[in-house]
Amino acid sequence: MKHYLHIDDIDSMSSWLSLAAECKKEPFKYKKLGEGKVLGLLFFNNSLRTRLSTQKAAYHLGMHCMTMNFGNEGWALEFEDGTIMDQGKAEHIREAAQVVSQYCDVLGVRAFASLTEKEQDEAEMVLNGFRKYASIPILNMESATGHPLQALADLITISEHTKKKNPKVVLSWAPHPRALPHAVANSFIGIMRQNPQFDFSITHPPGYELNPEIVKDVPVSYDQNSALKDADFVYVKNWSAYKPYGEVLNNDPHWMITQDKLGEASFMHCLPVRRNVIVEDSVLDGDNSLVIQQANNRTYAAQVALLKILESL
Ligand code: CP
């Protein structure tokens, strides 16, 4: 595997899940594979889990890791070709990506959606800029439209905790004061669609329809209570509207996840989460919350993705 950009880069779900379980049991088993290799991590946006879990995964694989908060510390990058660079942008992606390729063997990039420039976001301007001009494999650490490391960690978590072959999994929108990207929801939907053994559906208020090319035939309900009935796993996430792009249409607090709504289901969220806005305290602090286990699985998701990349070098 040359890159891990999208969940479609997972060639065999079952073998990736087995490998994640193996890495969790014996984290340093493949330490030799990354020895002498450098992982560069460029962050255009904030992070806690992605940054630390990917560094830990690299450590397990024997890699040296270099991290840069590019958004604050790097030169402002130009992505357009043929531009007269006489304004704020100091460096072109063409040079930046080639230079980084000389220092690193694998490059992780985090670059969120602008939520204002839909065309640029959907073209994955930053991620694909590095993919185009770097000569090394790229690891997507959350891009404008996807978060494949999170989705893989989510799948690992469900697989570890399900007691059924065909659990009911519901993705529920919840309120949030700010406009948030679609990336986590998109990749979760994608990985659920790739695993048709799950009885998967989505619930959100009217107007929060996600990209139909991603949702495809997944059932969608505007009635959260009926959608959550008898669920085994409830994955909660806010996202802004897809149309009109990036707007907050409503913040109805009735969509917050409460213990009553959750019932016996397990609660999932990618974190960070706003307490008593997205979900009430008693759910997060209760026995049915899987959020800490999900965050732990970010290490093994990153380790499997890096391992697959290292095998192809
Ligand atoms: N879930 C997730 O990606 O967390 P961070 O934004 O803290 O990396």
Side-chain angles (χ1 to χ4, degrees), residues 43 46-53 110 112 141-142 147 150 184 235 269-272 298:
F43 285 88
N46 295 351
S47 171
L48 188 162
R49 281 143 289 272
T50 305
R51 178 168 173 159
L52 298 185
S53 64
R110 164 166 281 204
F112 290 173
M141 301 196 299
E142 187 171 345
H147 196 354
Q150 182 66 53
V184 170
Y235 196 108
H269 189 283
C270 61
L271 302 182
R298 289 295 307 275

Side-chain angles (χ1 to χ4, degrees), residues 1-4 106 134-139 308-309 312-313:
M1 188 183 68
K2 174 83 172 141
H3 306 284
Y4 185 57
V106 181
S135 53
I136 56 175
I138 306 294
L139 177 71
K308 291 285 181 185
I309 289 172
S312 72
L313 288 180

Side-chain angles (χ1 to χ4, degrees), residues 164-199:
K164 298 178 184 170
K165 262 192 180 162
N166 312 100
K168 177 173 172 178
V169 181
V170 183
L171 171 64
S172 176
W173 182 93
H176 193 283
R178 293 181 52 208
L180 296 190
H182 310 114
V184 170
N186 286 347
S187 291
F188 187 70
I189 293 167
I191 213 155
M192 287 295 105
R193 290 191 62 256
Q194 284 189 15
N195 286 273
Q197 73 273 24
F198 298 124
D199 170 11

Side-chain angles (χ1 to χ4, degrees), residues 206-246:
Y208 279 98
E209 284 76 11
L210 287 155
N211 183 347
E213 287 175 28
I214 290 168
V215 175
K216 294 198 167 135
D217 57 357
V218 176
V220 176
S221 166
Y222 295 149
D223 182 343
Q224 190 189 39
N225 285 318
S226 74
L228 297 189
K229 197 169 177 299
D230 300 325
D232 296 296
F233 296 89
V234 177
Y235 196 108
V236 181
K237 185 73 186 82
N238 171 271
W239 58 84
S240 56
Y242 182 66
K243 271 188 201 171
Y245 188 63

Side-chain angles (χ1 to χ4, degrees), residues 127-179:
L127 188 74
N128 282 336
F130 279 99
R131 183 193 183 177
K132 187 171 177 185
Y133 295 113
S135 53
I136 56 175
I138 306 294
L139 177 71
N140 181 348
M141 301 196 299
E142 187 171 345
S143 65
T145 64
H147 196 354
L149 288 175
Q150 182 66 53
L152 181 56
D154 299 336
L155 181 67
I156 295 168
T157 309
I158 293 175
S159 304
E160 286 175 342
H161 288 87
T162 188
K163 297 181 186 84
K164 298 178 184 170
K165 262 192 180 162
N166 312 100
K168 177 173 172 178
V169 181
V170 183
L171 171 64
S172 176
W173 182 93
H176 193 283
R178 293 181 52 208

Side-chain angles (χ1 to χ4, degrees), residues 10 16 28 50 58 73 78 89 95 106 118 120 130 152 178 272 283 306:
I10 301 173
W16 281 50
F28 294 100
T50 305
E73 297 162 3
E78 176 61 63
K89 310 278 179 68
E95 287 77 55
V106 181
K118 185 177 182 186
Q120 281 183 4
F130 279 99
L152 181 56
R178 293 181 52 208
V283 172
L306 286 171

